[in-house]
Amino acid sequence: MKLVIYLGLMIVSLIVSLFSGQFQMKRTNKFWLSFLISFLINVVILGLGSYWWFLTETDGISQGMGVLYYCLAMVVIGIVDLIALSVFKSRYK
């Protein structure tokens, strides 16, 4: 069950950051502001997930690897947000 929550937080972070970036792009039509807001939402969700994983896991290697995977997910989701927002930018002009 803990693994489902662990991976689910990555998926939730991806979906929420994409929708928030798209919403912000529709509202303001500012690319970098939309990206910054969606990336910060991504960092907050996965940062809290890292904190949760570090507190609930007992093995030190598992703690470190779990937090490392969340950090990698932050970078990958940030790149996906950047690409998706560039596509949205051309659509909303």
Side-chain angles (χ1 to χ4, degrees):
M1 185 63 184
K2 208 156 77 166
L3 183 63
V4 172
I5 295 171
Y6 179 81
L7 295 174
L9 278 175
M10 290 183 200
I11 295 169
V12 166
S13 179
L14 174 66
I15 292 169
V16 169
S17 67
L18 282 174
F19 281 129
S20 67
Q22 182 180 9
F23 176 75
Q24 188 71 20
M25 181 69 89
K26 279 182 186 178
R27 208 174 82 194
T28 63
N29 204 19
K30 294 182 181 177
F31 177 77
W32 290 109
L33 178 66
S34 302
F35 172 71
L36 182 65
I37 289 173
S38 66
F39 186 72
L40 288 176
I41 289 172
N42 175 29
V43 168
V44 167
I45 292 172
L46 291 180
L48 290 173
S50 296
Y51 183 69
W52 164 76
W53 185 258
F54 194 77
L55 290 179
T56 60
E57 196 59 35
T58 57
D59 183 26
I61 293 174
S62 179
Q63 287 174 334
M65 293 300 287
V67 172
L68 178 67
Y69 288 146
Y70 270 145
C71 290
L72 288 173
M74 282 182 207
V75 171
V76 170
I77 291 172
I79 292 169
V80 169
D81 284 340
L82 192 63
I83 293 169
L85 285 175
S86 66
V87 169
F88 295 146
K89 180 181 178 182
S90 65
R91 184 186 300 172
Y92 295 131
K93 278 193 169 184

